[in-house]
Amino acid sequence: KQEVTQIPAALSVPEGENLVLNCSFTDSAIYNLQWFRQDPGKGLTSLLLIQSSQREQTSGRLNASLDKSSGRSTLYIAASQPGDSATYLCAVRGNTPLVFGKGTRLSVIA
Amino acid sequence: GAVVSQHPSRVICKSGTSVKIECRSLDFQATTMFWYRQFPKQSLMLMATSNEGSKATYEQGVEKDKFLINHASLTLSTLTVTSAHPEDSSFYICSAPAAAGSYEQYFGPGTRLTVT
């Protein structure tokens, strides 16, 4: 059974810092990995989708990498801003629908 | 991109009543839809897979008689929480594959259910 782990569970950084969120998964037989943002009490916003054949995807200040063989992904956020404060969820798609990690709660302090 | 809608966005009901949540694919057809549940400060957990024209598939530990799923058309799936109790209070989110056979999923905005 696929399990997704995200570290750290919570992170607080000053504005402007670059930061890395980590995601690991137990079954490397995946089709894709996706990073989402979730604001308190809200739904999901898809940030980046990495297909299993890809190693990274970039969107603006966000860069996500995928090392499928080792079961790891990282989400890099450059020059963090207070508006980046949210919970970031990692999810993997294999033969089952997306399986989610518990998320990293990020607070960017102005 | 494709859009998935949910209705209602918020619902408060009394214990013992039933609540129906609708999930619609607005500009594409979805023969399959997924229902997730998220408790406070927890991650999304898959509850069931809804299949158009056939019975839903429930994940282990999810009571099929309590969470009734109907997928009567290619654009609509409904989740009915029967005889709701306070412990059913949660955030319910539906999702649909981008296309038949696609491994990409689109998500609805979620429904916040509060049972008093």
Side-chain angles (χ1 to χ4, degrees):
Chain A
K1 180 182 175 184
Q2 179 74 270
E3 292 183 3
V4 179
T5 302
Q6 290 187 246
I7 295 173
L11 181 63
S12 183
V13 299
E15 181 178 6
E17 273 203 7
N18 303 324
L19 56 101
V20 175
L21 308 181
N22 297 291
C23 172
S24 62
F25 46 95
T26 55
D27 186 351
S28 61
I30 64 170
Y31 295 111
N32 60 54
L33 180 145
Q34 203 161 354
W35 283 92
F36 295 87
R37 169 183 174 141
Q38 186 176 31
D39 292 287
K42 303 294 185 181
L44 305 178
T45 300
S46 179
L47 298 174
L48 291 164
L49 170 70
I50 310 177
Q51 302 292 351
S52 61
S53 59
Q54 298 173 322
R55 294 194 65 84
E56 67 176 344
Q57 283 284 340
T58 298
S59 175
R61 294 182 293 108
L62 306 180
N63 175 276
S65 68
L66 173 63
D67 184 341
K68 184 181 154 183
S69 61
S70 68
R72 296 178 187 276
S73 175
T74 61
L75 178 66
Y76 176 83
I77 302 177
S80 58
Q81 303 170 358
D84 295 331
S85 299
T87 295
Y88 290 81
L89 295 167
C90 168
V92 297
R93 182 69 156 95
N95 286 323
T96 61
L98 279 171
V99 177
F100 285 81
K102 292 186 176 181
T104 294
R105 291 189 304 281
L106 173 65
S107 295
V108 181
I109 311 301
Chain B
V3 177
V4 176
S5 71
Q6 280 184 244
H7 178 80
S9 58
R10 286 180 178 273
V11 58
I12 301 173
C13 71
K14 292 186 177 180
S15 186
T17 61
S18 295
V19 175
K20 180 187 285 187
I21 302 170
E22 294 185 347
C23 177
R24 293 181 185 273
S25 56
L26 295 185
D27 53 1
F28 66 106
Q29 294 182 335
T31 56
T32 300
M33 289 185 177
F34 308 114
W35 286 95
Y36 290 82
R37 177 170 55 184
Q38 185 181 35
F39 290 110
K41 297 189 178 180
Q42 298 296 313
S43 190
L44 280 76
M45 297 298 294
L46 181 68
M47 297 176 66
T49 299
S50 164
N51 303 297
E52 188 267 335
S54 64
K55 292 182 179 180
T57 304
Y58 290 82
E59 295 300 302
Q60 191 173 11
V62 178
E63 300 176 56
K64 62 180 181 180
D65 294 330
K66 180 170 183 63
F67 298 98
L68 301 180
I69 291 174
N70 184 279
H71 195 150
S73 78
L74 289 172
T75 59
L76 173 64
S77 175
T78 61
L79 168 68
T80 301
V81 183
T82 63
S83 187
H85 288 94
E87 57 265 30
D88 298 323
S89 298
S90 187
F91 194 53
Y92 293 85
I93 305 179
C94 71
S95 173
S102 171
Y103 296 113
E104 184 174 1
Q105 292 175 221
Y106 295 125
F107 284 81
T111 297
R112 172 77 57 193
L113 170 63
T114 303
V115 184
T116 61

